[in-house]
Amino acid sequence: MSIIATSTTGTYVSAMLIAKPPNEFSEKDLTAFVDLVVSEGEVSPYRLLERVKRARGLVMIYDGEILVGTAAVKNPEPGYRADVFAKSKSRADDTTYPIELGYVVVAESHRGQGLSWSLVDAAMPFANGSAQYATTRGSNVAMQRVLPARGFAADGFPYPSVEHPGEDIHLFLRASDLPGATSE
């Protein structure tokens, strides 16, 4: 899928968006995904490739041959998920939110062009209507706008980031779209 985004300066970027399960990407693409996420300082590289390969779906945006955006619908480990909900003092049952939207990263060179909207929109179908959660730093203004616009609601309280000392992490929840499903 091709997308055309406009920056705040009025320049246009023509990019290629690819969304599919991790096993359909090459090792080169998966490594580029991990490298971009790590280079932008979003998460620890420890076991990142393993977690990326376990995701339900990945989204990548390429500008020519350069990967400039990533997103994933992840299958988080139950202990990690429970820890996120506990740290945020959420009263929601973490097991009700089995899916995590994450690794939404836009290369600094391509920020301000609306690419995070395209990444999130392309990732959402991989959740298959299941309830999801996402976390973002308080300073990530783009995701603070995108998540509520896509049905996520802030929950609990911000908690200190381990990866970014001095910053807080915010938890967002999105209810299931499935008929008869319940989420808090």
Side-chain angles (χ1 to χ4, degrees):
M1 167 187 195
S2 293
I3 58 171
I4 298 177
T6 182
S7 74
T8 54
T9 61
T11 58
Y12 290 92
V13 172
S14 178
M16 178 65 68
L17 183 144
I18 305 165
K20 55 189 177 182
N23 65 341
E24 294 182 19
F25 282 100
S26 70
E27 281 296 317
K28 180 181 174 186
D29 285 328
L30 295 173
T31 299
F33 187 106
V34 167
D35 289 347
L36 179 61
V37 171
V38 170
S39 74
E40 295 298 323
E42 290 304 311
V43 297
S44 165
Y46 178 72
R47 293 181 50 215
L48 181 56
L49 181 59
E50 177 185 324
R51 290 191 304 273
V52 166
K53 287 180 176 181
R54 274 199 342 259
R56 287 182 172 214
L58 302 177
V59 181
M60 299 185 199
I61 295 179
Y62 280 91
D63 184 2
E65 297 290 316
I66 301 169
L67 181 64
V68 297
T70 61
V73 171
K74 307 186 294 182
N75 294 304
E77 295 174 7
Y80 167 78
R81 183 183 62 228
D83 191 46
V84 166
F85 279 65
K87 285 180 187 175
S88 69
K89 296 181 176 46
S90 173
R91 292 198 287 182
D93 176 0
D94 69 277
T95 63
T96 306
Y97 298 88
I99 307 300
E100 181 183 9
L101 172 67
Y103 308 140
V104 181
V105 175
V106 175
E108 189 171 355
S109 61
H110 285 68
R111 291 184 187 155
Q113 301 172 28
L115 297 180
S116 59
W117 294 90
S118 297
L119 287 163
V120 169
D121 288 347
M124 297 290 287
F126 288 108
N128 294 322
S130 295
Q132 310 166 59
Y133 75 96
T135 59
T136 187
R137 287 182 283 138
S139 63
N140 189 336
V141 177
M143 289 306 293
Q144 297 280 339
R145 282 192 303 257
V146 172
L147 290 171
R150 294 303 182 255
F152 287 82
D155 189 70
F157 298 92
Y159 62 91
S161 170
V162 173
E163 296 293 324
H164 300 93
E167 292 203 53
D168 287 332
I169 300 295
H170 297 248
L171 173 65
F172 286 80
L173 305 179
R174 185 175 192 277
S176 172
D177 294 336
L178 301 173
T182 61
S183 53
E184 302 176 284

